[in-house]
Amino acid sequence: MTALSSLGLWQIQRGESKQAMLAQRQAAGKNPAHDFMAARRAEGGSTPAYGLRYTVTGRLDADRQVLFDNQVRNERIGYHVWTPLVLEDGGRVMVDRGWVPLGPGGRSQPPDPAAPTGEVTMVGVWRDLPRPGMRLGGDGVCQLEGWPRVLNYPDVEQLRCQYDGDVANGLLLLDEADPRGFARNWQNQFEQMPPVRHFGYALQWFAMALAVAVIFVVLNTRRIR
């Protein structure tokens, strides 16, 4: 019951988060992108607001990229390429440059996508890190060796231990028109899974939890004469 109810609450949180992000993206599309570093300084060093467009300047660390695992596009399995952008203060911003398929060698030989060199300026929408419905046990991602790192739903602490330094708590979705990325259609993600569908899934999880409760009561209560 606890597990099913937790999944229902997670779907509600996903729906509310997506509602807020849709509203912010609609508003952001009417305004120029904000300067990420200026917004971060205004927030006292904390993460800027999710759902807004930002411009970030720094150097892409192509030698230490993260491949976000188990991402499907057009019924094909692949990865989302997260490239760290090193800021002037030494901190990092993870930039999601889009989807790439599995390489010819499968999972034993993950792709190592190229990235521009030198100082670059990237523009995109800032979002929170994707989260799974439930985390089961620990994940020894900090002990993995070799780059790029293939990770499955890392949180910000797991990302920070990969780079032994500050990593902003969030993800910059690179603008779709930017040629320095890969296959991506951020708006399509909202169209395929609108907020109302998350609320529908939440209702299903709560109904399953209720069914478990009813079964428990029926099987474990004794009729008293």
Side-chain angles (χ1 to χ4, degrees):
M1 289 172 58
T2 301
L4 295 172
S5 298
S6 298
L7 288 169
L9 291 173
W10 172 65
Q11 286 291 351
I12 290 178
Q13 292 171 354
R14 289 287 304 277
E16 291 176 343
S17 175
K18 194 164 288 187
Q19 276 186 332
M21 185 172 289
L22 278 170
Q24 289 171 333
R25 288 193 67 173
Q26 291 173 354
K30 303 175 183 178
N31 301 311
H34 304 270
D35 182 86
F36 185 88
M37 292 298 293
R40 201 175 186 189
R41 286 192 293 266
E43 295 291 334
S46 61
T47 302
Y50 295 134
L52 299 181
R53 292 181 72 245
Y54 290 97
T55 176
V56 190
T57 300
R59 175 182 56 82
L60 290 173
D61 190 356
D63 295 329
R64 297 197 291 176
Q65 299 185 98
V66 167
L67 299 179
F68 181 35
D69 202 4
N70 296 317
Q71 301 305 297
V72 180
R73 181 181 176 86
N74 297 329
E75 301 182 355
R76 296 180 63 192
I77 299 293
Y79 311 93
H80 269 234
V81 180
W82 294 2
T83 307
L85 184 72
V86 184
L87 307 175
E88 59 182 10
D89 61 1
R92 288 174 172 81
V93 170
M94 302 304 294
V95 180
D96 190 335
R97 296 199 292 141
W99 179 90
V100 294
L102 286 174
R107 293 190 177 278
S108 62
Q109 297 179 359
D112 190 6
T117 59
E119 186 176 85
V120 297
T121 297
M122 314 204 93
V123 180
V125 174
W126 187 249
R127 62 153 293 173
D128 54 345
L129 290 170
R131 295 175 296 171
M134 184 178 300
R135 293 188 186 272
L136 301 176
D139 191 350
V141 292
C142 290
Q143 286 70 43
L144 295 180
E145 297 180 356
W147 295 94
R149 293 276 168 82
V150 178
L151 302 180
N152 192 19
Y153 288 101
D155 58 26
V156 66
E157 295 304 325
Q158 291 169 332
L159 288 175
R160 286 169 179 167
C161 76
Q162 303 297 322
Y163 300 101
D164 192 25
D166 180 53
V167 177
N169 187 8
L171 193 64
L172 187 75
L173 305 180
L174 183 63
D175 274 0
E176 296 173 9
D178 195 316
R180 296 169 293 183
F182 307 102
R184 59 202 185 276
N185 185 347
W186 308 126
Q187 187 62 32
N188 189 50
Q189 293 182 353
F190 293 106
E191 294 172 353
Q192 290 181 342
M193 184 67 73
V196 66
R197 186 172 297 180
H198 287 290
F199 298 137
Y201 287 152
L203 182 61
Q204 293 178 7
W205 286 120
F206 289 135
M208 292 174 66
L210 178 61
V212 171
V214 171
I215 292 172
F216 177 81
V217 171
V218 171
L219 295 180
N220 293 278
T221 54
R222 181 175 300 174
R223 186 174 183 180
I224 301 176
R225 295 184 180 274

